[in-house]
Amino acid sequence: MNKTSETRKEEIVRVAAKLFKKKGYSAVTMRDIASEMGIKAASLYNHITSKQDILDVIIISLAEAFTEGMQQIRSSEENCVGKLKQIIELHVRLSSQNIYGMASLNNDWMHLKEKRDYFKRLRVNYEDDFIDILKKGIASGEILDAKPEIMMFSILTTLRSLYIWIPKKEDLDLEELIGTLSKILVKGVAC
Amino acid sequence: MNKTSETRKEEIVRVAAKLFKKKGYSAVTMRDIASEMGIKAASLYNHITSKQDILDVIIISLAEAFTEGMQQIRSSEENCVGKLKQIIELHVRLSSQNIYGMASLNNDWMHLKEKRDYFKRLRVNYEDDFIDILKKGIASGEILDAKPEIMMFSILTTLRSLYIWIPKKEDLDLEELIGTLSKILVKGVAC
DNA sequence: GTCTATATTTTGATAGAC
DNA sequence: GTCTATCAAAATATAGAC
């Protein structure tokens, strides 16, 4: 496997994700993607089997990366606040590495077909793991005794929207972003 | 003006918004909307001029409601933290009154045409007003001295995602939601 | 690997009968 | 105010030449 040069399929996925972020999956045509690459739409089908195929790759690979990250955090030795900071770091890292893909993960998952149920399972499991961390923090006295669902909602929506904000500040220091977010988000729920 | 009974156009807008939330503007067809109302697609055009027209009504009316709400908050006598709580209340109120419209406001605004620039102007002004409140709070010592853009981002993304979460909890007490959110979000940025 | 040509379906929208 | 019939454009995808 050659990791230094991008395959044609990877290029299609990358270009498509960029367009999906701008207009959404349904509004982007195969001609749009091809045109952006300087080729004709029919040529795309030598590398991918369908438009659906492109969306599947974008979303599932990212969803699995989040699942993997959460599994590592779960098995870490940190306390609850430490795990929250690890979650924040996970989102900042994956979001900044794949801004365009994060847009599809958030907005285009409903256009998945066969992989839709699998995606939803991954997402529910992720949220369950997140709530579990908060509940243990409440029990141990690290975390504010408020509804864990609302606390998770508040933190997770901020993290899920990072892809909108990261590209706006070209001078953005990722470490500083992680620090400020940790301060704000953790302070909001900590005791 | 009869406010008790819904006009046909209002019904179209309401049904369309519900479908837009589920699949996004581009993926919803005029036939989808008509079918949901039990009529044929051609009949819709006796009440609206185009699919674009429907989206314009949904988004602009909501965007203007937020602008109005922010203007009232700006001119209120509350201190910074009080104004933040008023903003939270504004979002919870408008979101719970129009769950479906909020989805379009968040996800379908890029499909506006002539009204797109107007919408973006309203949104930028809203964010500027928000940041202004935070900056005054920093100056007066009410608010944490962190980047106001990141603080606003964190609070605003939570509030903009309310439409996703409000319908999930049918037993949701709006007053309780406002209370918990105020506690979490304000605590995250307060001194 | 890309092209042209084309098949097939679906789309937003209009015309005109009732 | 709704219908049937229909149009014109645009969509995904395939076949076959180069």
Side-chain angles (χ1 to χ4, degrees):
Chain A
M1 267 261 278
N2 190 354
K3 299 264 277 182
T4 57
S5 68
E6 190 181 42
T7 69
R8 207 77 168 123
K9 173 161 183 175
E10 286 166 347
E11 186 187 359
I12 292 171
V13 168
R14 178 175 55 80
V15 169
K18 182 175 171 182
L19 296 177
F20 291 168
K21 173 170 186 284
K22 196 175 173 189
K23 306 204 295 176
Y25 173 75
S26 299
V28 173
T29 71
M30 298 300 278
R31 286 170 181 79
D32 289 335
I33 300 169
S35 164
E36 184 85 4
M37 294 177 64
I39 60 177
K40 297 290 176 183
S43 308
L44 295 173
Y45 291 88
N46 260 287
H47 310 282
I48 49 102
T49 66
S50 66
K51 190 185 172 189
Q52 186 70 58
D53 183 29
I54 301 175
L55 188 68
D56 291 352
V57 171
I58 295 172
I59 292 183
I60 298 300
S61 65
L62 256 174
E64 288 177 341
F66 274 101
T67 297
E68 237 175 86
M70 178 60 90
Q71 251 139 31
Q72 288 205 341
I73 293 169
R74 273 178 39 141
S75 64
S76 87
E77 296 294 328
E78 296 276 348
N79 60 8
C80 168
V81 167
K83 283 179 177 170
L84 279 184
K85 286 179 182 170
Q86 286 181 315
I87 291 175
I88 292 168
E89 204 176 330
L90 174 67
H91 279 259
V92 171
R93 180 166 56 79
L94 290 181
S95 297
S96 60
Q97 279 171 2
N98 194 350
I99 297 263
Y100 302 130
M102 288 301 301
S104 289
L105 187 73
N106 275 292
N107 305 319
D108 293 323
W109 61 267
M110 70 279 273
H111 299 116
L112 294 173
K113 292 224 164 79
E114 318 94 54
K115 296 192 188 295
R116 198 173 161 206
D117 285 342
Y118 172 57
F119 165 78
K120 287 174 86 169
R121 220 176 310 134
L122 291 183
R123 200 184 48 172
V124 167
N125 288 343
Y126 188 88
E127 292 176 0
D128 285 347
D129 288 340
F130 198 139
I131 287 207
D132 220 52
I133 292 173
L134 289 175
K135 281 183 176 166
K136 278 176 183 145
I138 294 172
S140 73
E142 284 181 81
I143 294 286
L144 196 70
D145 190 10
K147 293 213 164 188
E149 292 84 5
I150 297 183
M151 289 193 282
M152 177 185 69
F153 151 66
S154 175
I155 297 173
L156 205 43
T157 52
T158 296
L159 297 179
R160 282 182 175 155
S161 303
L162 276 170
Y163 77 95
I164 300 175
W165 295 75
I166 288 180
K168 285 196 178 166
K169 302 294 228 172
E170 65 287 331
D171 64 334
L172 193 64
D173 182 337
L174 286 186
E175 291 305 319
E176 187 196 8
L177 177 63
I178 293 172
T180 308
L181 279 178
S182 295
K183 201 158 57 170
I184 293 173
L185 296 177
V186 173
K187 187 165 171 289
V189 299
C191 279
Chain B
M1 268 261 280
N2 190 354
K3 297 265 277 182
T4 58
S5 69
E6 189 181 45
T7 69
R8 208 75 167 124
K9 173 160 182 175
E10 285 165 349
E11 186 188 356
I12 292 171
V13 168
R14 177 174 56 79
V15 169
K18 182 175 171 182
L19 296 176
F20 291 168
K21 173 172 186 283
K22 195 174 172 190
K23 306 203 296 176
Y25 173 76
S26 299
V28 173
T29 71
M30 297 302 277
R31 285 166 181 82
D32 289 335
I33 300 169
S35 165
E36 184 85 3
M37 295 177 63
I39 59 177
K40 296 291 176 181
S43 307
L44 295 172
Y45 291 88
N46 260 287
H47 309 283
I48 48 101
T49 66
S50 67
K51 189 186 174 189
Q52 185 72 57
D53 183 27
I54 301 174
L55 187 69
D56 290 352
V57 171
I58 295 172
I59 293 184
I60 298 300
S61 64
L62 256 174
E64 288 177 340
F66 273 102
T67 298
E68 238 175 84
M70 179 60 92
Q71 250 139 32
Q72 288 205 342
I73 293 169
R74 274 178 38 143
S75 65
S76 85
E77 297 294 329
E78 297 274 351
N79 60 9
C80 168
V81 168
K83 283 179 177 169
L84 280 184
K85 287 179 182 170
Q86 285 181 316
I87 291 175
I88 292 168
E89 205 176 330
L90 174 68
H91 278 260
V92 171
R93 180 167 57 79
L94 290 180
S95 297
S96 59
Q97 279 171 1
N98 194 349
I99 297 261
Y100 301 130
M102 288 302 300
S104 289
L105 186 73
N106 275 293
N107 305 319
D108 293 323
W109 62 266
M110 69 279 275
H111 299 115
L112 293 174
K113 292 225 164 78
E114 318 94 54
K115 296 193 188 296
R116 202 181 152 186
D117 285 343
Y118 172 57
F119 165 78
K120 288 174 86 169
R121 220 177 309 133
L122 291 183
R123 200 184 49 173
V124 167
N125 288 343
Y126 188 88
E127 292 176 0
D128 285 347
D129 288 340
F130 197 139
I131 287 208
D132 219 51
I133 291 173
L134 289 176
K135 281 183 176 165
K136 278 175 183 147
I138 294 172
S140 72
E142 284 180 82
I143 296 285
L144 196 71
D145 190 10
K147 293 215 166 187
E149 292 85 5
I150 297 183
M151 289 193 280
M152 177 186 70
F153 151 67
S154 175
I155 297 173
L156 205 43
T157 52
T158 295
L159 298 178
R160 282 182 174 156
S161 304
L162 277 170
Y163 76 95
I164 300 175
W165 296 74
I166 287 181
K168 284 197 180 166
K169 303 292 226 173
E170 65 287 330
D171 65 332
L172 193 64
D173 182 337
L174 286 186
E175 291 305 320
E176 189 197 6
L177 177 62
I178 293 172
T180 308
L181 279 178
S182 294
K183 202 157 58 169
I184 293 174
L185 296 178
V186 172
K187 187 164 172 290
V189 298
C191 279

